[in-house]
Amino acid sequence: MSKIRVMDELLANKIAAGEVVEKCASVLKELVENAIDAEGNIIKINLEDGGLSKIEVIDNGIGMDEEDAKLAFLRHATSKIYKDDDLFFIETLGFRGEALASIASVAEVFMHTSQGEVGTCVHIKGGKLLEVSKDQAKKGTSITVTNLFYNTPARLKYLKSEITELNNCVSFLEKLALANPDIAFTLSNNEKVIVKTSGSGNLLKVIHEIYGLNVSSNMLEIKNSNDDFVISGFVSKPSILKKNRNHFHTFVNNRVVRNVEINRSINDAYDTYKHEGFYPIVVINIETDPTLVDVNIHPTKQDIKMSKMEDLTKLIYETIKDVLYKNLLIPSAIYEEEKNDIKDNFIDPRSLYHYEDSPKAKVLPPDDLPDAPIIQTRLDLNASVGDVKIIKNEEFKKLKFTPVGQVHGTYIIAENEDGMFIFDQHAVHERINYEMVTKKIQEQQVNIIPLLIPINIELNNSDYLALMENKSVLEELGFKIEDFGINTIIIKEHPSWLKEGFEEENIRSIIDLVISSAKGFNKDKFLDSMAKMVSCKMSVKANEHLSMEQMKKLLDDLVKCDNPYNCCHGRPSIMKYTNYELEKMFKRVM
Ligand code: ZN
Ligand code: ZN
């Protein structure tokens, strides 16, 4: 090879490095994925200073012979460490070969590898092979990367603070651990263990090892399939929510992937079960024929495209919605409180991660990182999951609540044989109205009521046009709208589900909503937003006195709802104190 060609290759590697290896986590990703492909089932990652000083990955996989070891860091290298029946093999093979070469071009790398007999040690720095020697014969591979970007002037451009790099590494490793429950992962930083999974093959156990007992005991299992996809995994009850989508863990054939449409379908499935801006913890593996996955993707980004995406997102949406519907979701007041106390005193290392959608990651010196919360070895998984009493939704519909009184004109206190309940009266009423209105809209059989005094609405030109464009949607609902001079409409009839006394207010808001959603108008979305808005407006407010009869009626109507646990915006409507919790609070039992 001529000198010029070597220079070219080095330059190409360095340029590629800027794209491929932009942070410690991308080095970690390459090395750990190689270790997984090498069929290791125990993988250890040792970081120093969040990976800035050192990234070391040790596996007990099949290892390489001397020939492969030398080739591993060459561009376009092919090697036995890649599984050739793998779905991502085709598109990542060349790329991953390049990724290793890229890493080696901007760092110092030591690799020890052995297939069990004689071992090989490779030392490479700045893309130059410095030494190949015989080494000890312990089966597996260990790769150590130090001095990352030492020869790149823009080093600082790529690497962030130690805590950010560490957070990214931990965050990604957790995804890999969830995608590979049968591999035992350990990640430590400066000799402090941060992530440790046992490789038991039990996904719920991995969830426990990563998120702790409170989360693992509040997960619901999902499993479903259609002609092309089999999905399985766990989703958190809406009582367990995070402030960003980083806890949507999605895998295709056990590879970590990311896809906006899949994320949206997960989020939509939780609609009205949770607050906007909060997200559940979701772990889903999608098994499918590799040919359905688009190969034109950038492997470092994890983004995928897929044919039949609509079928897949529908399957995910319906499966999650169904499992949420079928399970009792009344949060226990006591339990919430304890959980929050723990949260306040406990610095969850995950809360420090740098997330795309939370630009200001909390910064703490790394020494303050607590030991992983996962070392709760007293876990008996079956017991902990069994302890959580899951009542089917159908059973809930048979429950009876007897109101006892009202607090601050806002909360209803009620009782039954199981304990004491607190209801948010607005949330309760809003839920009842939302399901009523939604049903009426779906039935499409509308009763129309004429207005005694028709409502005149004057609009500006663009609003008028926007309204006229979607006028038919309102007419289908049962509104009678007529033109009345320049940019003025007159409403003469409305559907019967508008509450008496609130007609005008509601109609004006609905018109506003049509106008504001006119851009890229989506009928289903509009109808849902409208149902939510109208239900909110026609519901009892806080600071509104209710009689015992009114309270009784609200609670009787609530139990008939499909999702009695939240208002249509996802706020909780019920809190429960079980008899046992009450007795415990007052030390009647110890
Ligand atoms: Zn409301
Ligand atoms: Zn609400």
Side-chain angles (χ1 to χ4, degrees), residues 14 17 21 23-24 27 31 46-56 101-110 123-127 130 143-156 158-159:
K14 275 183 155 185
V21 190
K23 50 191 179 187
C24 297
V27 175
L31 300 184
N46 300 316
L47 304 176
E48 271 174 27
D49 307 326
L52 292 172
S53 303
K54 188 177 101 177
I55 301 167
E56 180 178 55
S102 299
I103 293 167
S105 73
V106 293
E108 182 164 9
V109 178
F110 279 96
H123 180 194
I124 189 162
K125 186 175 181 182
L130 298 181
I143 300 183
T144 310
V145 176
T146 54
N147 293 319
L148 191 59
F149 294 119
Y150 79 100
N151 56 352
T152 315
R155 181 177 202 259
L156 287 175
Y158 299 125
L159 294 176

Side-chain angles (χ1 to χ4, degrees), residues 275 426-427 430-431 532 536 566-571:
H275 245 135
H426 176 70
E430 190 179 85
R431 163 56 58 180
K532 284 175 179 165
C536 182
N566 303 90
C567 83
C568 61
H569 306 95
R571 274 206 304 116

Side-chain angles (χ1 to χ4, degrees), residues 141-301:
T141 303
S142 84
I143 300 183
T144 310
V145 176
T146 54
N147 293 319
L148 191 59
F149 294 119
Y150 79 100
N151 56 352
T152 315
R155 181 177 202 259
L156 287 175
K157 191 183 126 206
Y158 299 125
L159 294 176
K160 305 226 168 61
S161 73
E162 178 179 335
I163 193 81
T164 305
E165 294 294 335
L166 177 62
N167 290 339
N168 286 333
C169 287
V170 172
S171 182
F172 191 75
L173 189 82
E174 287 178 343
K175 286 186 188 293
L176 284 174
L178 290 164
N180 298 279
D182 45 5
I183 298 178
F185 291 95
T186 309
L187 181 146
S188 8
N189 183 51
N190 299 339
E191 296 182 2
K192 209 166 192 177
V193 175
I194 296 180
V195 183
K196 190 171 171 59
T197 66
S198 56
S200 63
N202 179 338
L203 177 58
L204 191 57
K205 193 163 180 192
V206 184
I207 293 172
H208 174 83
E209 286 161 337
I210 287 177
Y211 286 105
L213 182 63
N214 184 34
V215 169
S216 64
S217 58
N218 280 291
M219 298 300 279
L220 304 167
E221 187 167 14
I222 55 162
K223 208 170 180 59
N224 205 351
S225 61
N226 63 16
D227 288 348
D228 299 296
F229 302 100
V230 178
I231 61 169
S232 60
F234 289 88
V235 302
S236 71
K237 292 185 193 168
S239 55
I240 303 286
L241 295 174
K242 297 274 175 184
K243 285 206 178 84
N244 56 62
R245 286 188 189 81
N246 230 50
H247 303 271
F248 287 6
H249 305 285
T250 47
F251 314 124
V252 172
N253 297 349
N254 296 94
R255 292 278 174 176
V256 177
V257 298
R258 200 161 51 189
N259 177 280
V260 182
E261 287 155 272
I262 293 176
N263 283 356
R264 195 178 300 134
S265 68
I266 294 170
N267 196 48
D268 287 351
Y270 276 81
D271 184 40
T272 85
Y273 282 97
K274 67 169 183 66
H275 245 135
E276 196 80 30
F278 285 84
Y279 304 94
I281 298 171
V282 171
V283 184
I284 298 184
N285 187 37
I286 301 155
E287 285 166 65
T288 187
D289 182 340
T291 56
L292 289 181
V293 183
D294 190 341
V295 294
N296 289 319
I297 51 162
H298 197 268
T300 53
K301 300 284 184 228

Side-chain angles (χ1 to χ4, degrees), residues 430-447:
E430 190 179 85
R431 163 56 58 180
I432 296 164
N433 286 328
Y434 173 69
E435 293 199 5
M436 180 269 291
V437 171
T438 306
K439 213 166 139 208
K440 288 268 159 65
I441 293 172
Q442 279 164 359
E443 278 169 1
Q444 284 180 332
Q445 205 193 37
V446 272
N447 290 324

Side-chain angles (χ1 to χ4, degrees), residues 103-137:
I103 293 167
S105 73
V106 293
E108 182 164 9
V109 178
F110 279 96
M111 178 170 79
H112 302 267
T113 185
S114 169
Q115 297 182 312
E117 284 145 32
V118 65
T120 310
C121 172
V122 176
H123 180 194
I124 189 162
K125 186 175 181 182
K128 284 197 201 86
L129 193 60
L130 298 181
E131 200 194 342
V132 180
S133 55
K134 295 258 182 291
D135 195 24
Q136 57 170 336

